Structures are given as C-alpha cells and as structure tokens.
Amino acid sequence: MRRWADLSLQRKLELLIVAFMIPVLGMVVVLLTTGLQLNQTLNERYRVRQFDTYLDQLEIAVLNIETGQRGYQLSGNPGFLEPYNKGLRDTQTALAGLREMGLFPGEVKLLEETVYSFIEEWAKPSVAKVELGQTLTPEEQNALLRDGKVLFDSLRIRFDGLQRATELQFNLIRERSNRATQTLTALPWLLLLLVIVAALGLRLGLSRTVVERLGRLQRATERIAEGDYGVRVAVQSRDEVGQLATAFNLMAASLERTTHSLEAARTRSELLAALTDALQSATSSQEVARIAIQGLNQLLGASYMFVNELVGDTLVFTGWYGELPPEMGPVLETGVPLAASPEATEVIRSGRPLYDHRFYTGERQPPGQPELGLAIEPIRSPGGKVTGIISAIRPSALGEWTAEERELIARSVAAVGIALERSKNQAELRERTAELERSNRELEQFAYVASHDLQEPLRMVSSYTQLLARRYRGQLDEKADQYIDFAVDGANRMQKLIQDLLSYSRVGTKGREPQPTNAGEVMQEVLRDLEVALRESGARLEVGELPRLQADRSQLAQVFQNLLVNALKFRRPGVTPYIRVCAQPEGAMWKFSVSDNGIGVEPQYHERIFVIFQRLHSKEEYPGTGIGLAICKKIVERHGGRMWLESSPETGSTFYFTWPAAEERA
C-alpha cells in the first residue's frame, strides 16, 4: 500500500472527497430511510385513527340499534325504527372500514361475529316479533332484555379490547414518529457539522499539503531572485508539489552551476580584456611577459610561470614568476637550448599545446616538491609562425587543466603573440620614426638654408643679366639678345621656385597656433587683394555663408587665395569665369567646396596635381611653378583635414577640403 506522501495531489483530493462523501451518503441513506419510516408511521397513524373512527362509528351504530330496538319493543312506535335502521346501515359501513384498515384482523373478525350475533340473534328477532304484533309477557321481555344486555356487554368487551389495542398501537406509532422526526431534525445539523469539519479538515490538509509547501517554494524563489542560488527546498513527498520541489532544486542547482560558470567566464573575460588592454600599451618584450604572467597567474594558481622567445635554437627567458632555485640563475641569463627540453621542442615543432596535470612525478618530481602539473602553449606571430612558448607549473592537487583554463591560456597567449609582434614593430617604428624625423628636420633645414642662401646669388645673376639686356640689347647679334633673354627668364623662374619652396617648407614650421577664426572675414580680405584680377577677368563670384574655424588665419587666407587664383588662371577661352564658394557641416568638421567652370582636369591627374612641382601644362600656356596646390593640401592636413578634387575636362573643377570647427571657449 502506497504511503500518503507518495500519492498525487489528485489522488489525495479524491480520497479526501471519498472520506467526506461516505458519511454524507450514510446520512442521506439514514435520511431517506427515516423519511420512509416517518411516511410509513404517518400512514399507519392515519390507519389507526381511521380504524378508531370506524370503531367509534360501529359502537355508535350498535348503540343506535340497541336503543331503537328497545324503544320499539317497549312502545311499539315505528319511529324508533329510524335509529335502528340507521344503526344497521352504519354497522355495515363501519365493519367494511375496519376490514379495509387491515388492523387486528382476528379481533375485528370476532367483533364482526359478535355484532352480527347481537343483530341476528337479538335485535332483529325482537323487532320482528313486534312487527308481527306479538305481545311479550313481562317474563319474555325481561329475558330478552337480559339476553340483549349479555350480548351488548360482550360487544363492549370487544370494543374496549380493540380500543385499548388501538390506543397501544397509536402510542407505538407516535413514538416511532417522534424518533423519526427527531432524527430528521438532527440530520441537517449533523450534515452541517460534517461539512464544517470536512471544510476545516480540507483546509488544514491543503494548507499542510499544498499551501505551506508552495509558500516555502515561493520564499525559495524570492531568495533565488535576490541572487541566493544555493537555496534548496526539502522534498517531503512525491506528489505534484514534491515533484515541483524536486524540479525547483534541479533548477536551482543548474542556475548555481550556470551562475558559477558565467561568473568564472566573466572573470576570465575581464581578465582577458584587461590583459589585452594592458598588452596593447606594452612597449617591450619584457613588459609583455610581465603583464601576461601577472594576468594568468591570478586564475591558474601556478607556482612557476615562464615566457620564452625562440631565438635560433634557444629559448630565451623574457619573463618568469616564482621562487626559482639558485641553480637556474645561469639558465635565465643564457636561455635553454631546444635539445635540452624535448617537451618544448615538440610543442614548437607540432604547434600543439601540452597539458599534463601530473607531469612532474616519480623521477621527474623535484626534491622536496609535491607532484606538479605542466602546461605549455606555443606563442604565434600574427602570420602563424611559432615564436616562443608560455609555460605554467602548478601542484597536481589542483586537478586537471580544465577546458576553461586551456581556453584562457590559449586566448591569452594569442594576445601575447600579437603584443610581442607589436612591441617589435613599435620598436622598429620608433627607430624609423626617429630617423625620419631627423631626416625631415635636416631636409627642412636644408630647404630653408638652400633657398635662403640661393636668394643672394640668384638676385645677383638676375640683376646682371637684366643689366646686360638693357645695355647691350641691339649691339650684339640677334642670338646674343636671345641668350640674354633666356638667362634673365631662367634666373627669374629659379628665384620664384626658391621662394615657393621656402613657403612650402615653412607651412609646418612657421605656422601659428590655430585660433577661432571667422572664415567669412578671411575670404573678404582675400577678395580685396584679388579685386583687380577679378575685375579684369569679368568673373562672377558667389560666396555662401562661411563658418568660424579653428585656423591659422594667414594659412587659411593662403588656401582661399591659391584656389581662387587657380580658378581665374585655368579658365576656358571665351567663357566668363564663374566661381562658387560654400561650406556645410560634417560632424566636428566643415566641408568646403570651391567650384569653377574652367578647363577641368582628367581623372587620372586628380592626385598628381597635389604633388609639389607637378604641372599639367607648359609654362607658356599657364605660368606658375606648380607648387600652389601642394601648399594648400599641406596647410589643410596640418589643421587635421583632407583635400581632394572632383573634375572632368571642359566642365570645370570642384576642390573640396575639410577643416575643424572653431573651439569656442566659455
């Protein structure tokens, strides 16, 4: 037989309902039985009452017969026959009623015989004699009266016996009726009491079986919601609530495991992220090794850790952790030959890591040390080449190297490989940058000195060639005049080139600190300087609203002037020049456009025109040194912007450049 705790809630509820219904059904049976009994007693009571009524009617009828007979006998008056005849009719009716009631059939039969004997043997003969006119002597009358009295007394005895029996029967019926009535009266109260007891029992049972246990589940759920994943609920049964408690405990255990896994994963991710961030700022191999060892050792619990770079056939120690024995001092300085470390050699050769949680045991076990585990991961460059190893040694008692630990080491080592490569590249880049900066300084100094020192001899050459042209023009032959003109023109062009070169070299070295500048005001100053050129060319100029910029005012003016001069210079013959200047915001920058309807530039030359001294036309077609746009681009880039061209032949050109917005101070 199954224990109560093992039953399901449905089965328990069914048993409780059955336990409640059994007494209810019993009471219903008792109620129906009692009702039937009460109905039966009422019927019997009615029959007894009817029987008693018929008995009274019979007694009255017999009394009427006796009275009528006697009066008729004594007086001879036919009037006395009326009660007599009525008594005879009532006697028939009463006897029929008594027989119909079915009570005391034996006594009724004897009574009926006695009544008929009284009528047939006494009443009717005496009436017949009177009707025949027979006169009775006093002795006959007395005898007749005496016989009648005997018969009537016998009837009375019968009547009295039946009346007593009827009364006794009526009393018994009344007692049964009272008991049935009391039972019917008590049953509703008993039923109400049973309902109350059943309700209280059901409530108590549900409270203990369901409500209290669900309450414990609810409180446990609230604790889980608060982050207490170690809470468990006692399983007291195997019903639905017990199964729910079991499922809850399984869920809580799963949540606890998942939470611990997530927490460990979060810790590993944070460590890896912190390690990656720290490695990005490392500037040397030693710093990379130190950061990697500090980060990994927090989770691995290693007794010793080493970072080795592969240099030829030797593993050079870049960093290490742990209290190493003194005999390892020379090895740390010289490194370990691959031939002396077969495990490391195999890892480097195959590129596969080594994880053994019981590596240093038996003969390998260091004296005075517990059993130790070993982990070796290859360090790879971004190209996949093995450039070194990271190894960790820890007590075997910590267990096997878990998948999470292996993943952490592998990902950390990948970051270390990138960081080592970056540190080497950065070192090389720093050397190249320093060399380039020295070269740039030397070139700028050379350009400045050369251009400055060449000014004076060029001015002298230009002055003397011009003097020769004025004094001796026409005195020599035609070729001599042409040669002198070539010399003057070459000296002037050389002087212009040197001046432009000096301007180009001074863009980055002689520029002023950018300040908030109104570009519209700068444009108006440039237009005043170009007023004559604009008027002579008949150009139409459209300038939109220009913003405030963070700029070196003179260099911004130089950009505007060079672009406007180019638009006027490279105009199409017979076409009125049209120039449009506008600006629009683009994030923290402003995007400028300077458009014209000039000769345009073929797409393959869009980048070339920004190179210093690059020309697309001969100096006879369009004069100039070809350095103006290079200066513009250098000025724009010095301010953190960029410059480009969109153009096609015979449709015009649009120069674009971006410039930082003004940094307005509060």
Side-chain angles (χ1 to χ4, degrees):
M1 186 175 181
R2 298 176 65 185
R3 295 188 304 113
W4 175 262
D6 297 336
L7 299 176
S8 66
L9 286 178
Q10 182 177 357
R11 187 61 177 164
K12 289 177 181 178
L13 185 59
E14 289 174 353
L15 292 176
L16 289 174
I17 292 175
V18 169
F20 170 72
M21 290 302 297
I22 287 175
V24 170
L25 290 175
M27 288 187 180
V28 171
V29 171
V30 172
L31 181 62
L32 293 175
T33 304
T34 305
L36 292 174
Q37 290 177 353
L38 181 59
N39 186 56
Q40 185 178 359
T41 56
L42 291 176
N43 290 334
E44 290 179 357
R45 188 172 180 179
Y46 170 76
R47 289 168 58 201
V48 170
R49 286 192 176 277
Q50 285 295 105
F51 186 87
D52 189 55
T53 300
Y54 287 133
L55 191 61
D56 289 341
Q57 290 178 358
L58 181 60
E59 188 175 4
I60 292 172
V62 171
L63 183 59
N64 286 336
I65 292 172
E66 190 272 336
T67 303
Q69 182 272 340
R70 184 178 296 176
Y72 184 63
Q73 181 183 351
L74 293 177
S75 64
N77 185 1
F80 285 100
L81 291 177
E82 184 178 351
Y84 171 80
N85 292 326
K86 184 177 182 302
L88 290 176
R89 292 192 302 270
D90 291 343
T91 297
Q92 295 295 328
T93 303
L95 286 173
L98 290 175
R99 286 194 301 271
E100 184 182 356
M101 292 299 104
L103 297 177
F104 314 111
E107 287 80 357
V108 170
K109 185 175 182 181
L110 291 175
L111 176 62
E112 185 177 4
E113 291 176 354
T114 304
V115 169
Y116 280 119
S117 296
F118 171 74
I119 295 173
E120 297 297 333
E121 295 178 8
W122 181 78
K124 284 185 177 183
S126 61
V127 172
K129 288 181 180 182
V130 175
E131 288 178 344
L132 293 175
Q134 296 179 2
T135 303
L136 302 177
T137 63
E139 290 79 6
E140 290 176 343
Q141 289 181 356
N142 290 332
L144 186 62
L145 290 173
R146 186 172 55 254
D147 292 340
K149 182 177 181 304
V150 171
L151 291 172
F152 195 77
D153 289 341
S154 177
L155 280 173
R156 285 187 179 279
I157 291 171
R158 298 288 183 194
F159 279 124
D160 290 341
L162 280 173
Q163 286 176 347
R164 285 193 300 272
T166 302
E167 185 177 358
L168 179 60
Q169 183 72 13
F170 184 80
N171 290 335
L172 291 175
I173 292 172
R174 183 172 59 188
E175 289 178 3
R176 293 208 315 267
S177 177
N178 289 338
R179 286 196 299 271
T181 303
Q182 291 173 358
T183 302
L184 290 176
T185 304
L187 279 177
W189 294 103
L190 290 175
L191 184 60
L192 177 60
L193 179 62
L194 177 62
V195 170
I196 293 174
V197 171
L200 292 176
L202 184 61
R203 182 184 183 282
L204 181 61
L206 289 176
S207 177
R208 292 183 177 179
T209 307
V210 180
V211 177
E212 290 182 2
R213 294 157 65 192
L214 288 179
R216 289 194 290 270
L217 277 172
Q218 179 185 359
R219 291 189 291 273
T221 304
E222 291 173 351
R223 289 177 60 184
I224 281 186
E226 294 171 357
D228 183 7
Y229 300 108
V231 64
R232 298 292 185 274
V233 177
V235 180
Q236 300 172 339
S237 66
R238 286 187 286 181
D239 58 11
E240 287 84 350
V241 179
Q243 294 172 8
L244 181 61
T246 302
F248 174 85
N249 290 337
L250 292 175
M251 179 199 69
S254 177
L255 279 175
E256 187 175 21
R257 289 193 301 271
T258 303
T259 303
H260 289 164
S261 299
L262 290 175
E263 184 66 23
R266 185 183 64 82
T267 302
R268 291 193 298 271
S269 298
E270 290 178 352
L271 174 61
L272 187 61
L275 178 63
T276 303
D277 291 342
L279 289 175
Q280 288 180 349
S281 61
T283 58
S284 66
S285 299
Q286 290 74 19
E287 188 177 2
V288 169
R290 177 183 59 79
I291 293 171
I293 289 173
Q294 288 178 349
L296 285 172
N297 198 54
Q298 294 180 22
L299 289 182
L300 299 179
S303 303
Y304 308 99
M305 288 194 70
F306 304 96
V307 178
N308 298 90
E309 288 190 81
L310 183 61
V311 179
D313 293 332
T314 303
L315 289 172
V316 178
F317 287 86
T318 308
W320 59 85
Y321 165 80
E323 297 182 4
L324 303 177
E327 56 267 23
M328 285 197 66
V331 177
L332 297 177
E333 295 292 333
T334 61
V336 178
L338 286 178
S341 179
E343 296 82 18
T345 301
E346 177 61 21
V347 170
I348 293 173
R349 184 192 66 79
S350 65
R352 293 192 299 269
L354 168 68
Y355 288 96
D356 189 343
H357 77 288
R358 298 184 69 247
F359 183 81
Y360 292 103
T361 60
E363 296 180 356
R364 290 179 176 177
Q365 186 172 351
Q369 292 283 340
E371 291 186 349
L372 299 171
L374 174 65
I376 303 178
E377 273 280 352
I379 301 174
R380 299 178 184 273
S381 67
K385 180 182 178 181
V386 177
T387 59
I389 60 172
I390 286 183
S391 54
I393 301 173
R394 71 178 186 183
S396 300
L398 294 178
E400 294 187 2
W401 300 94
T402 65
E404 291 78 9
E405 290 173 334
R406 296 185 183 194
E407 181 185 5
L408 174 65
I409 297 175
R411 294 176 64 184
S412 301
V413 169
V416 168
I418 296 173
L420 286 173
E421 189 73 15
R422 184 189 300 113
S423 66
K424 293 178 182 178
N425 293 337
Q426 287 177 345
E428 295 177 1
L429 182 61
R430 284 194 296 272
E431 293 178 1
R432 292 181 181 179
T433 302
E435 183 179 354
L436 184 60
E437 288 177 351
R438 287 194 303 272
S439 176
N440 285 339
R441 286 195 298 271
E442 291 173 358
L443 286 174
E444 288 179 356
Q445 183 66 25
F446 171 77
Y448 178 78
V449 171
S451 60
H452 186 273
D453 291 347
L454 287 175
Q455 292 288 326
E456 185 61 28
L458 278 175
R459 278 196 297 271
M460 185 177 294
V461 170
S462 177
S463 299
Y464 281 108
T465 54
Q466 290 177 18
L467 182 62
L468 284 173
R470 288 195 301 271
R471 178 169 298 183
Y472 297 103
R473 181 175 297 277
Q475 298 181 20
L476 302 176
D477 59 14
E478 183 177 349
K479 284 188 174 295
D481 292 340
Q482 186 178 9
Y483 294 156
I484 292 174
D485 290 338
F486 287 160
V488 172
D489 182 64
N492 290 334
R493 285 194 297 109
M494 186 66 176
Q495 192 172 18
K496 179 60 176 175
L497 284 173
I498 292 174
Q499 291 174 350
D500 288 345
L501 180 62
L502 185 61
S503 299
Y504 184 81
S505 66
R506 288 177 174 176
V507 168
T509 59
K510 301 300 181 179
R512 298 175 183 175
E513 185 69 22
Q515 299 290 333
T517 304
N518 190 318
E521 295 178 356
V522 175
M523 175 60 74
Q524 294 302 319
E525 294 174 1
V526 171
L527 293 178
R528 283 195 294 271
D529 293 339
L530 298 177
E531 182 178 359
V532 175
L534 290 170
R535 186 172 57 253
E536 290 178 350
S537 66
R540 292 189 301 111
L541 183 65
E542 180 182 347
V543 179
E545 185 176 353
L546 302 184
R548 288 177 60 80
L549 304 175
Q550 194 75 11
D552 178 341
R553 189 183 186 93
S554 61
Q555 290 187 345
L556 178 61
Q558 192 173 1
V559 171
F560 284 150
Q561 182 168 341
N562 284 350
L563 292 177
L564 292 177
V565 168
N566 270 4
L568 294 175
K569 180 192 300 184
F570 297 101
R571 62 181 183 267
R572 283 183 291 169
V575 178
T576 302
Y578 170 74
I579 305 172
R580 183 173 182 269
V581 181
C582 59
Q584 61 183 17
E586 191 176 80
M589 310 287 284
W590 281 89
K591 178 182 175 182
F592 285 80
S593 64
V594 179
S595 304
D596 62 53
N597 60 347
I599 62 175
V601 180
E602 294 183 356
Q604 63 266 31
Y605 300 123
H606 285 183
E607 293 296 329
R608 178 180 171 184
I609 62 173
F610 293 107
V611 179
I612 188 171
F613 298 135
Q614 291 295 316
R615 299 175 54 88
L616 302 182
H617 307 87
S618 66
K619 64 180 183 297
E620 288 78 12
E621 292 180 288
Y622 299 99
T625 60
I627 201 173
L629 290 178
I631 292 175
C632 289
K633 186 174 183 180
K634 189 172 184 180
I635 291 174
V636 170
E637 290 176 349
R638 183 215 169 200
H639 286 80
R642 64 190 184 94
M643 191 172 192
W644 68 100
L645 168 66
E646 291 182 3
S647 177
S648 60
E650 303 302 325
T651 60
S653 303
T654 300
F655 286 89
Y656 293 97
F657 63 92
T658 58
W659 203 289
E663 299 175 359
E664 302 294 346
R665 295 177 175 81

